[in-house]
């Protein structure tokens, strides 16, 4: 059990600090809109991860064949196209520098929290790379059953649970840390950060489209 605990914590930490669109948007949301808004966004990401995990656990062997077989390139191209559109919207959007009072009002509105959660959910769910790495993570935690298609044992479920708890805990630390930087953030830096995030999302989408096209 100790081995599973250590392996789960290490894996969860690595996944949480992986640089990508979600990473930067989570930090930006915390800086611009506050801790509660960033947590709402992260919950959306968490839920999309949870859905992918459930799919990967229930249909482990089938999903492995689909993502690595003849349909893998289609998934990459479609997911990449969605990310490119999402990135363009982010890039062209003019960020507003809300005051602290406006942030408090935003954070108190359930509708805004739901929209932020939906944004995190869709951004993460649109990335086909997420299902790929969860399949890999599950395979590595399956105690020698990698790529065999055998049933997932109890230790793997504990492994996934520890990963998710670690993942979300590290995200909370990132959210609080980013919010502490708010007094040092200028309007120009916010605009630059918004454009950078848009370019990161577009770049990720383009790479997925290229990868899918070359895999045909």
């Amino acid at each position: 059990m100790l081995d599973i605990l250590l392996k789960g914590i290490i894996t969860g930490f690595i996944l949480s600090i992986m640089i990508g669109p979600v990473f930067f948007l989570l930090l930006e949301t915390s800086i611009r809109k506050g801790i509660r808004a960033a947590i709402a966004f992260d919950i959306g990401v968490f839920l999309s991860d949870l859905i992918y995990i459930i799919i990967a656990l229930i249909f482990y062997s089938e999903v492995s064949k689909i993502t690595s077989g003849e349909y893998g390139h289609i998934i990459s191209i479609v997911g990449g196209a969605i990310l490119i559109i999402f990135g363009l919207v982010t890039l062209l959007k003019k960020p507003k520098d809300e005051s602290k009072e406006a942030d408090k009002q935003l954070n108190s509105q359930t509708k805004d929290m739901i929209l932020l959660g939906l944004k995190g959910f869709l951004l993460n769910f649109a990335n086909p790379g997420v299902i790929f790495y969860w399949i890999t993570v599950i395979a590595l935690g399956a105690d020698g059953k990698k790529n065999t298609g055998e049933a997932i044992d109890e230790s793997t479920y504990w492994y996934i649970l520890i990963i998710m708890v670690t993942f979300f805990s590290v995200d909370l630390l990132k959210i609080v840390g980013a919010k502490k930087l708010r007094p040092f953030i200028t309007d120009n830096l916010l605009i630059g950060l918004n454009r950078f995030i848009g370019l990161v999302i577009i770049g990720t989408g383009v790479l997925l489209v290229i990868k899918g096209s070359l895999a045909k």
Side-chain angles (χ1 to χ4, degrees):
M1 185 63 185
L2 181 60
D3 178 60
I4 296 174
L5 178 63
L6 291 176
K7 188 162 62 171
I9 291 175
I10 293 172
T11 305
F13 179 78
I14 292 173
L15 290 177
S16 183
I17 62 174
M18 285 177 62
I19 304 298
V22 171
F23 179 91
F24 291 111
L25 267 175
L26 181 65
L27 298 185
E28 188 216 21
T29 303
S30 179
I31 291 171
R32 293 184 59 243
K33 299 181 179 180
I35 292 176
R36 289 180 61 190
I39 290 176
F41 176 85
D42 201 37
I43 288 175
V45 175
F46 183 87
L47 290 176
S48 66
D49 273 328
L50 191 60
I51 290 176
Y52 270 139
I53 290 171
I54 292 172
I55 292 173
L57 285 172
I58 296 176
F59 306 103
Y60 178 59
S61 59
E62 291 82 356
V63 173
S64 297
K65 292 176 183 177
I66 291 174
T67 54
S68 61
E70 59 179 315
Y71 298 108
H73 70 281
I74 297 177
I75 296 174
S76 291
I77 292 173
V78 173
I82 294 174
L83 286 179
I84 290 173
I85 295 172
F86 202 110
L88 286 172
V89 172
T90 302
L91 184 64
L92 298 175
K93 181 184 66 176
K94 294 182 179 180
K96 297 179 180 179
D97 184 19
E98 298 96 344
S99 64
K100 293 182 179 180
E101 184 62 29
D103 284 343
K104 290 179 181 179
Q105 292 177 1
L106 173 67
N107 290 338
S108 66
Q109 296 176 6
T110 303
K111 179 182 176 181
D112 291 314
M113 295 298 101
I114 292 174
L115 289 176
L116 282 167
L118 183 61
K119 181 179 180 180
F121 179 91
L122 293 176
L123 178 62
N124 196 57
F125 199 76
N127 186 356
V130 176
I131 188 67
F132 290 136
Y133 76 61
W134 278 121
I135 289 174
T136 303
V137 166
I138 290 172
L140 291 175
D143 290 337
K145 298 180 180 180
K146 184 178 180 180
N147 296 327
T148 64
E150 297 179 27
I152 303 297
D153 62 6
E154 183 180 349
S155 64
T156 304
Y157 291 105
W158 281 108
Y159 175 60
I160 296 299
L161 177 61
I162 294 168
I163 288 175
M164 294 303 290
V165 171
T166 304
F167 189 96
F168 195 70
S169 298
V170 175
D171 273 0
L172 289 178
L173 292 177
K174 291 190 297 187
I175 289 169
V176 174
K179 184 59 179 176
K180 296 293 183 181
L181 298 175
R182 183 63 185 87
F184 308 100
I185 303 299
T186 63
D187 292 349
N188 289 334
L189 186 58
L190 280 175
I191 294 173
L193 180 61
N194 191 77
R195 290 174 179 171
F196 176 72
I197 291 172
L199 290 174
V200 169
I201 298 174
I202 292 172
T204 303
V206 169
L207 288 176
L208 286 171
V209 171
I210 293 174
K211 179 182 178 181
S213 299
L214 294 178
K216 288 183 179 181

